């Protein structure tokens, strides 16, 4: 079985991950182990040059492609030779989607399509497809999930048309330009915060303004979602010990939560006394186009502060 496929950036932040048959409590160990393995051995390695390791009776094949490190972990019939075929299929698909070995920026811009390719190559822990043209055809023909079908079936025709228009208009992380607003009536509709057992993975990048304090010890929470009630909530993003949200910095987070349609609202919540000025927040989702929300202003304390475009979408479909 293929136990794991992980993509990481040069700083060791996980960009995409897929685990198969690995208990949630063991995944943190594998993330840490693989990132350290790459930091120790991938420096100076050429694009697509394969390295092999063994750990706890499993095989690991890993490489670098542009600014991204790729790790594939397997056991039993998926030894180093079989995993080499898997990772070759993955690197070929990424190059095909990106047009070249990707920078981190390009990789994130193509995040959704890379995820679709990955799920056609490896499915439920087994190698399914490696031929590029077949993968392209499967992605084009891929039906919506059962959950998506149930939701779409209840929409009005105009709502369906509007959803397609929203997705197209927000492609390539198109910025939404307006002023953030406080939302005193904002409610969290998710009883549990993000966790590893949730359905979808999101990558969120937050750029801190050069006008912000040199560092902040404030607690920063995040929530975003779509027009149909699907919401992702992260109770705490900040970590002063890891130099998070320092002036002029960009931080990348991998977030687990319910699968959403196109993200159309995002709020930040701050508690503390240092203050903080985010410049922009970009959300990369699995089933939707990336979208950027521009702040460039102080986040007030004790109130959800941000953007909500879902109401205009809902009113337009009535």
């Amino acid at each position: 079985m293929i136990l794991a496929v992980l993509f990481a950036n040069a700083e060791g932040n996980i960009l995409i991950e897929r685990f198969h048959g690995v208990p949630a409590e063991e995944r943190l160990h594998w993330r840490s182990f693989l990132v350290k393995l790459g930091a120790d051995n991938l420096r100076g390695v050429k694009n697509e040059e394969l390295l092999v390791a063994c750990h706890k009776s499993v095989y690991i094949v890993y490489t670098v492609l542009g600014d991204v490190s790729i790790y594939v972990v397997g056991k039993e019939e998926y030894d180093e030779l079989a995993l080499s075929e898997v990772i070759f299929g993955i690197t070929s698909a990424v190059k095909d989607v990106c047009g070249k070995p990707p920078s981190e920026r390009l990789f994130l811009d193509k995040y959704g399509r890379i995820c679709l390719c990955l799920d056609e190559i490896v499915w439920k822990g087994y190698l399914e497809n490696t031929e590029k043209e077949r993968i392209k055809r499967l992605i084009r023909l891929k039906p919506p999930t059962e959950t998506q079908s149930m939701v779409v079936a209840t929409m009005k025709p105009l709502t369906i048309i509007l959803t397609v228009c929203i997705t197209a208009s927000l492609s390539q992380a198109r910025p939404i330009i307006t002023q953030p607003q406080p939302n005193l009536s904002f409610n969290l509709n998710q009883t549990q915060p993000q966790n590893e057992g949730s359905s979808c993975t999101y990558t969120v990048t937050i750029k801190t303004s050069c006008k912000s304090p040199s560092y902040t010890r404030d607690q920063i929470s995040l929530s975003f979602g779509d027009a149909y009630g699907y919401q992702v909530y992260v109770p705490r993003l900040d970590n002063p010990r890891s130099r998070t949200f320092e002036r002029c910095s960009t931080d990348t987070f991998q977030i687990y939560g319910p699968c959403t349609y196109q993200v159309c609202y995002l709020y930040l919540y701050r508690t503390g006394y240092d203050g903080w000025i985010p410049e922009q927040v970009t959300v990369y989702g699995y089933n939707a186009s990336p979208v950027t929300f521009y702040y460039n202003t102080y986040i007030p304390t004790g109130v959800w502060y941000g953007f909500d475009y879902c109401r205009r979408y809902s009113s337009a479909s009535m």
Side-chain angles (χ1 to χ4, degrees):
M1 173 175 277
I2 300 169
L3 298 176
V5 179
L6 280 81
F7 293 77
N9 64 9
E11 287 72 40
N13 297 311
I14 305 298
L15 302 176
I16 298 176
E17 65 178 25
R18 296 287 187 272
F19 285 104
H20 306 284
V22 179
E25 61 271 16
E26 295 182 15
R27 295 178 184 181
L28 179 60
H29 162 77
W30 277 107
R31 293 188 194 104
S32 302
F33 175 80
L34 293 173
V35 167
K36 185 178 186 304
L37 186 69
D40 292 343
N41 299 288
L42 285 176
R43 191 183 303 273
V45 170
K46 298 178 181 178
N47 278 330
E48 300 182 77
E49 180 181 346
L50 300 184
L51 303 183
V52 178
C54 290
H55 180 65
K56 292 187 175 181
S57 302
V58 302
Y59 299 95
I60 304 162
V61 176
Y62 57 113
T63 189
V64 64
L65 185 67
D67 291 345
V68 179
S69 303
I70 306 172
Y71 307 85
V72 181
V73 182
K75 66 177 183 179
E76 298 169 350
E77 71 271 32
Y78 284 97
D79 57 14
E80 63 269 32
L81 294 178
L83 292 180
S84 297
E85 182 181 1
V86 175
I87 205 167
F88 175 77
I90 292 172
T91 56
S92 296
V94 172
K95 286 191 298 181
D96 188 58
V97 170
C98 298
K100 61 181 179 180
S103 64
E104 182 179 353
R105 175 77 262 175
L106 178 58
F107 184 91
L108 292 174
D109 284 344
K110 303 294 185 180
Y111 183 89
R113 190 165 182 82
I114 291 171
C115 286
L116 291 174
C117 288
L118 180 59
D119 290 342
E120 291 298 340
I121 296 169
V122 178
W123 179 247
K124 294 185 178 180
Y126 295 94
L127 180 63
E128 287 287 315
N129 297 293
T130 57
E131 201 272 312
K132 290 192 297 184
E133 293 303 319
R134 176 174 172 78
I135 292 170
K136 288 180 182 178
R137 290 196 301 272
L138 289 171
I139 290 174
R140 287 196 296 267
L141 297 173
K142 193 170 186 179
T145 63
E146 180 179 350
T147 301
Q148 290 173 327
S149 299
M150 291 173 62
V151 175
V152 171
T154 64
M155 294 182 190
K156 297 178 182 179
L158 183 57
T159 306
I160 298 173
I161 295 171
L162 183 62
T163 302
V164 174
C165 294
I166 293 168
T167 302
S169 65
L170 292 177
S171 62
Q172 298 301 317
R174 178 178 173 224
I176 296 176
I177 303 175
T178 188
Q179 293 298 314
Q181 301 292 329
N183 188 342
L184 300 178
S185 61
F186 180 72
N187 293 314
L188 297 170
N189 63 14
Q190 186 172 318
T191 57
Q192 294 183 348
Q194 59 106 351
N195 59 79
E196 296 183 13
S198 299
S199 300
C200 283
T201 305
Y202 302 85
T203 296
V204 176
T205 61
I206 301 179
K207 183 177 181 181
T208 296
S209 171
C210 293
K211 300 176 183 178
S212 188
S214 58
Y215 67 95
T216 185
R217 294 164 292 184
D218 295 350
Q219 178 174 329
I220 308 297
S221 303
L222 169 72
S223 184
F224 60 85
D226 61 21
Y228 308 106
Y230 295 99
Q231 182 185 88
V232 178
Y233 167 55
V234 188
R236 188 157 191 175
L237 288 171
D238 56 288
N239 184 356
R241 290 176 296 180
S242 65
R243 304 170 69 91
T244 307
F245 302 140
E246 290 189 338
R247 179 189 297 156
C248 298
S249 67
T250 299
D251 297 285
T252 302
F253 305 90
Q254 185 172 51
I255 293 171
Y256 304 88
C259 297
T260 69
Y261 290 92
Q262 183 62 54
V263 172
C264 55
Y265 73 82
L266 183 142
Y267 288 100
L268 294 167
Y269 189 97
R270 182 180 69 84
T271 303
Y273 301 97
D274 290 336
W276 177 52
I277 305 178
E279 183 173 310
Q280 65 187 54
V281 181
T282 302
V283 180
Y284 301 87
Y286 179 73
N287 290 320
S289 302
V291 59
T292 298
F293 299 86
Y294 281 85
Y295 279 83
N296 215 23
T297 187
Y298 270 103
I299 302 298
T301 185
V303 64
W304 288 100
Y305 193 67
F307 307 82
D308 185 355
Y309 299 92
C310 301
R311 285 170 292 188
R312 84 171 59 160
Y313 298 155
S314 298
S315 62
S317 63
M318 292 180 62

